[in-house]
Amino acid sequence: MPVITNIEDLRKIYERRTPRMFYDYAESGSWTEQTFRENTSDFAQIRLKQRVAVDMSGRSTKSQMIGQDVAMPVGLAPVGLTGMQSADGEIKAARAAEKFGVPYTLSTMSICSIEDVAAHTKNPFWFQVYTLKDDDFMRRLFERAHAAKCSAIVITVDLQVLGQRHKDLKNGLSAPPKLTAKSIANMMTKIPWGLEMLGTKRRFFGNIVGHAKGVSDPSSLSTWTAEAFDPALNWDRIAQFKEWWGGKVIVKGIMDPEDARRAADIGADAIVVSNHGGRQLDGAVSSIRMLPSIVEAVGKDVEVHLDSGIRSGQDVLKALALGAKATYIGRAYTYGLGAMGQAGVTKALEVIHKELDITMALCGETDVKNLGPHNLYIPQGFGDPSVLL
């Protein structure tokens, strides 16, 4: 067992172990990848305020996310194709999150289905949905999520059209993947990964194939995918989905105070400040830079969460101190999953929890709920994106 001290250690193992097609899918952004890079680099601009001679015993990272008790305010974000990073990956990630005491969000574009994950876990998980045009499919998707006892849905609102990701196109990564001689040759070098995949029957999009109209097998998936997303999405449609679901709703993909206000007005239980990990609009401002203005706009009316760019417990602390109620990790746990399966997801959570706990102590705080701007040195104008102009 290698010594894992940070998330980067997991990424390096993940890169060696996983086929290039699926590694690039996770570790890339759209176009020039400027936003993908700045999601992480902007965290480094914020400095921490050290305090000493403070009683640091009895520390707690426990909190709540939309009323759910959590071991720390860090959820596992919805990530598509995790069942190709490691066989039955969604089940492994959900189990790790359940045992650690944090929320797991299953993506609509998962390999394991809602029913698969429900059958292998005990606690309710969250389910992410896209804003698709097919009303019948969407209603049945909600019904399946209810039957699986999902406790919340996460509506992704920033994928009306797909941002171009050069690496995916060059690797032939689509739905289903277009395998090339190069990608097949690369997969053949990933023997442990290949043996795991041979041992599972779950290799296609379990929530789509056999459920969406006209999608009876993987070969018919590409046509459905090209036509499914709704470019005419508006707030009335999002409100309609909320009504159909009838339970707790998190709106993910908010990057503007006005959009945050609209999400609060339709009664969202939480919003997620997120630019889709830099995978949609390249050139967009980083999530952490947009967070303060969105918290100021709606923080008293709706829980504000943050996604995109978190690679450490220190990043989590900075987001919480800037006003986020909670955060999410996507790539960080995907690295762990691809590197070491369920144990790797657990390791990613352990690393982030330890970093959060120790950093909190060295900042002179004993309760994660007491973090605030007083714990930070914030660059002038950091929370005002107009200074970039």
Side-chain angles (χ1 to χ4, degrees), residues 4 7 10 72 100 329 331-337 342-355:
I4 306 297
I7 296 300
L10 290 170
M72 62 177 174
F100 203 89
I329 55 172
R331 290 183 174 96
Y333 92 77
T334 300
Y335 300 160
L337 178 66
Q342 182 174 331
V345 179
T346 299
K347 178 56 70 173
L349 289 168
E350 289 173 347
V351 165
I352 285 178
H353 181 265
K354 183 177 182 179
E355 291 171 340

Side-chain angles (χ1 to χ4, degrees), residues 5-305:
T5 63
N6 56 33
I7 296 300
E8 176 64 9
D9 288 341
L10 290 170
R11 188 201 63 77
K12 291 176 181 177
I13 300 171
Y14 165 56
E15 183 176 15
R16 293 196 301 267
R17 189 182 186 280
T18 307
R20 176 56 57 173
M21 172 185 285
F22 301 117
Y23 173 83
D24 282 350
Y25 170 77
E27 193 64 1
S28 65
S30 60
W31 288 316
T32 70
E33 299 188 337
Q34 176 189 7
T35 302
F36 166 66
R37 294 189 299 272
E38 291 181 353
N39 274 339
T40 54
S41 64
D42 278 358
F43 273 100
Q45 296 186 35
I46 305 167
R47 300 296 196 273
L48 301 167
K49 187 177 294 185
Q50 182 173 325
R51 298 298 303 275
V52 298
V54 176
D55 182 355
M56 298 177 182
S57 60
R59 297 189 304 278
S60 175
T61 61
K62 293 180 180 179
S63 186
Q64 287 192 330
M65 296 173 69
I66 59 168
Q68 177 177 326
D69 291 334
V70 294
M72 62 177 174
V74 178
L76 299 196
V79 178
L81 284 173
T82 43
M84 298 305 292
Q85 306 289 358
S86 178
D88 301 333
E90 291 86 4
I91 293 171
K92 293 173 181 175
R95 282 178 160 175
E98 179 179 82
K99 290 181 179 180
F100 203 89
V102 296
Y104 171 73
T105 314
L106 179 68
S107 169
T108 292
M109 301 302 287
S110 58
I111 301 301
C112 300
S113 68
I114 306 171
E115 293 80 7
D116 287 333
V117 176
H120 290 85
T121 54
K122 296 177 181 177
N123 295 340
F125 55 93
W126 299 349
F127 183 62
Q128 175 269 342
V129 297
Y130 294 105
T131 51
L132 307 179
K133 291 184 286 188
D134 188 336
D135 282 1
D136 179 63
F137 176 75
M138 292 302 298
R139 286 182 180 274
R140 286 188 288 109
L141 202 60
F142 290 145
E143 290 171 0
R144 292 169 60 202
H146 273 301
K149 296 182 171 54
C150 293
S151 54
I153 60 165
V154 177
I155 305 177
T156 295
V157 295
D158 60 355
L159 205 78
Q160 289 172 261
V161 295
L162 189 65
Q164 180 167 310
R165 303 152 196 171
H166 299 330
K167 291 176 183 176
D168 287 351
L169 292 174
K170 292 175 179 177
N171 288 331
L173 187 63
S174 58
K178 298 180 177 68
L179 297 179
T180 65
K182 183 177 180 180
S183 63
I184 292 172
N186 178 256
M187 286 182 187
M188 291 175 66
T189 68
K190 311 298 181 180
I191 296 173
W193 175 89
L195 292 174
E196 282 190 0
M197 294 305 300
L198 287 174
T200 180
K201 61 182 179 181
R202 304 179 182 95
R203 303 189 194 98
F204 305 109
F205 294 97
N207 292 319
I208 312 281
V209 176
H211 296 283
K213 185 177 180 180
V215 185
S216 57
D217 55 64
S219 63
S220 56
L221 184 61
S222 58
T223 301
W224 179 88
T225 303
E227 300 174 353
F229 293 90
D230 188 2
L233 172 70
N234 57 32
W235 287 104
D236 290 339
R237 180 65 164 170
I238 297 168
Q240 183 180 50
F241 287 162
K242 182 180 184 299
E243 182 180 352
W244 287 356
W245 171 246
K248 292 188 175 182
V249 169
I250 300 170
V251 177
K252 178 178 179 289
I254 301 297
M255 286 291 290
D256 184 87
E258 184 177 343
D259 287 339
R261 183 74 263 163
R262 296 295 299 271
D265 288 344
I266 67 167
D269 295 278
I271 62 170
V272 185
V273 180
S274 171
N275 54 38
H276 216 95
R279 293 167 62 76
Q280 282 295 93
L281 177 60
D282 187 41
V285 178
S286 67
S287 293
I288 191 64
R289 193 178 285 272
M290 284 305 309
L291 177 63
S293 61
I294 291 176
V295 169
E296 182 179 2
V298 300
K300 295 180 180 179
D301 302 319
V302 62
E303 284 189 24
V304 179
H305 300 175

